[in-house]
Amino acid sequence: MLEVKINQLTEVCKVSKVFVKEGDIVKEGDAIFSIEIKKCQIVYNANFEGKIIKFYLSPGEKHSSKEPALLVEGKVTGESQTFMIEQKAVPANS
């Protein structure tokens, strides 16, 4: 399981749009969500592939870079400056 966090310059950001939902299969390069920082929109594209297991973001809400943005059952496929990804052992019932 991959725990994905937003890598950003500020500690808290506002989620603008969400392009995927739990259960979706994503490929490298797919748009996942966008955030707003100082009136700029930043789109985050996947550097991983797999199934979205848990999605913690909602449009209009603020999100901390210290908290996970999503859990993915899959693998890292490329390097990225936008996501911090950690391999996590996640219990089957979470």
Side-chain angles (χ1 to χ4, degrees):
M1 199 75 64
L2 304 174
E3 181 181 77
V4 181
K5 294 181 181 179
I6 302 171
N7 190 13
Q8 60 196 34
L9 298 176
T10 61
E11 189 172 306
V12 177
C13 65
K14 180 180 175 185
V15 178
S16 302
K17 294 181 184 176
V18 173
F19 304 107
V20 298
K21 62 187 179 311
E22 290 180 9
D24 283 356
I25 304 296
V26 296
K27 300 177 298 206
E28 183 176 6
D30 288 353
I32 306 298
F33 57 87
S34 66
I35 63 170
E36 183 180 312
I37 298 177
K38 297 181 182 179
K39 298 187 181 186
C40 294
Q41 296 287 324
I42 301 170
V43 175
Y44 283 75
N45 296 310
N47 67 318
F48 50 85
E49 58 184 34
K51 183 178 181 179
I52 306 289
I53 300 299
K54 185 72 178 166
F55 204 82
Y56 300 104
L57 306 177
S58 296
E61 290 186 355
K62 295 193 183 245
H63 186 79
S64 169
S65 61
K66 295 179 181 180
E67 298 296 322
L70 57 148
L71 284 177
V72 177
E73 185 177 276
K75 63 181 181 177
V76 177
T77 56
E79 292 186 29
S80 173
Q81 298 297 317
T82 57
F83 286 121
M84 294 180 291
I85 301 179
E86 296 179 24
Q87 188 77 38
K88 293 282 185 181
V90 178
N93 60 353
S94 58

